[in-house]
């Protein structure tokens, strides 16, 4: 017996994604107010990986709410999976490397940290297995690493050649005795991203086995008249092909 998989228009999925969207919009609005008050440079605020990842999440979630599944290209599932992985891994890196002692498990920290490093990643991990989109190949998910690697390169180019500012301590050679000292911390972060992306991608592959709905999805992507024609064409004919079927003996 097939088990029904939720789709993009299911009430629980819509409610979950609207919650993610509202949490993320409020968190970024909060950030913008803080930046305006503190005098922090906008180029620094939008250079943080967490901010960029959450803006990507907002765009992807809004896309899934507005554009029906049958109108989205197959590669959109890769974007959705990558956005999930980036947000979750940003939260883990914050908890392990960046949070002050006691902050990682505390609920008294400011709202933006709670939303962007905990609530949104947790809700995305819940959303990812609920709706199985087009099939994705695990090997192609290696492309999800392109953005983290590109982020590292751009951060080093800016810090090393432009204004000397690095968004995170583990990217700053001055904190580790020179560029050679970055091999350890940056290697650990890249390895964590590779493992995390593989885990999210594998979860996307497994969900199609646990919650199959391929037939319903195939018909849901077809216009109604085409689905009806496909159904009629698959039925065996009930009339005889013999030209003498009505002749008397």
């Amino acid at each position: 017996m097939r088990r029904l998989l939720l789709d993009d228009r299911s009430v629980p999925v819509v409610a979950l994604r609207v919650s993610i969207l509202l949490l993320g919009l409020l968190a970024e609005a909060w950030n913008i107010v803080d930046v305006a008050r503190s005098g922090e440079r906008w180029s620094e605020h939008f250079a943080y990986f967490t901010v960029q990842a959450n803006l990507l999440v907002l765009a992807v979630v809004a896309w899934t709410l507005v554009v029906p599944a049958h109108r989205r290209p197959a590669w959109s599932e890769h974007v959705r999976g990558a956005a999930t992985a980036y947000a979750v891994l940003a939260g883990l890196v914050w908890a392990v490397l960046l949070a002050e002692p006691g902050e990682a498990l505390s609920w008294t920290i400011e709202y933006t940290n709670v939303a962007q490093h905990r609530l949104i990643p947790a809700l995305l991990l819940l959303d990812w297995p609920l709706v199985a989109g087009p099939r994705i190949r695990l090997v192609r998910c290696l492309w999800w690493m392109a953005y983290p690697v590109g982020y590292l390169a751009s951060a080093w180019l800016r810090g090393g050649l432009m204004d000397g500012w690095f968004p995170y301590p583990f990217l700053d050679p001055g904190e580790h005795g020179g560029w050679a000292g970055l091999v350890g911390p940056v290697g650990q972060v890249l390895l964590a991203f590779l493992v995390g992306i593989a885990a999210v991608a594998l979860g996307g592959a497994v969900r199609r086995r646990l919650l199959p709905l391929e037939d319903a999805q195939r018909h849901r992507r077809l216009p109604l008249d085409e689905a009806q024609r496909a159904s009629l064409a698959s039925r065996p004919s009930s009339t005889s092909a013999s030209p003498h079927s009505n002749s008397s003996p």
Side-chain angles (χ1 to χ4, degrees):
M1 179 181 295
R2 289 185 178 271
R3 286 168 284 181
L4 187 62
L5 181 64
L6 297 176
D7 61 27
D8 282 329
R9 295 299 174 257
S10 300
V11 173
V13 175
V14 172
L16 178 62
R17 291 177 177 176
V18 169
S19 299
I20 294 172
L21 193 62
L22 293 177
L23 285 169
L25 288 173
L26 181 57
E28 190 53 32
W30 193 305
N31 279 333
I32 289 173
V33 171
D34 281 347
V35 171
R37 288 177 177 174
S38 67
E40 178 188 4
R41 291 187 296 177
W42 294 104
S43 62
E44 292 181 1
H45 169 69
F46 289 108
Y48 287 109
F49 187 89
T50 297
V51 173
Q52 295 180 12
N54 276 270
L55 289 175
L56 176 62
V57 165
L58 293 180
V60 171
V61 171
W63 190 20
T64 61
L65 287 170
V66 174
V67 181
H70 68 272
R71 295 183 57 188
R72 297 199 297 267
W75 52 260
S76 66
E77 195 68 3
H78 280 278
V79 177
R80 180 176 163 231
T84 299
Y86 299 155
V88 171
L89 289 165
L92 290 176
V93 170
W94 173 81
V96 174
L97 296 178
L98 302 174
E100 296 294 333
E103 277 189 345
L105 300 178
S106 173
W107 289 96
T108 59
I109 56 178
E110 65 180 14
Y111 168 75
T112 54
N113 276 329
V114 172
Q116 294 183 329
H117 292 131
R118 292 186 191 170
L119 297 180
I120 291 176
L123 293 178
L124 287 171
L125 280 180
L126 181 61
D127 174 81
W128 178 241
L130 282 180
V131 182
R135 190 180 301 277
I136 57 176
R137 290 189 176 184
L138 296 181
V139 174
R140 292 183 180 177
C141 295
L142 291 175
W143 282 106
W144 299 4
M145 283 294 296
Y147 169 57
V149 171
Y151 178 86
L152 289 177
S154 64
W156 283 331
L157 285 174
R158 171 178 176 167
L161 301 178
M162 296 177 64
D163 58 7
W165 181 82
F166 297 91
Y168 300 106
F170 60 82
L171 297 180
D172 187 351
E175 297 283 338
H176 299 276
W179 291 97
L182 296 177
V183 173
V186 172
Q188 292 174 3
V189 171
L190 285 176
L191 180 60
F193 265 77
L194 185 61
V195 172
I197 283 174
V200 172
L202 185 60
V206 169
R207 68 187 173 179
R208 294 187 63 90
R209 295 178 177 272
L210 298 179
L211 301 169
L213 192 60
E214 295 175 359
D215 292 340
Q217 286 181 336
R218 182 166 61 249
H219 285 284
R220 182 165 57 86
R221 293 192 184 100
L222 289 172
L224 182 60
D225 56 339
E226 293 184 24
Q228 289 174 335
R229 287 199 297 269
S231 177
L232 290 173
S234 64
R235 296 178 184 175
S237 174
S238 60
T239 59
S240 171
S242 173
H244 306 293
S245 58
N246 292 328
S247 61
S248 57

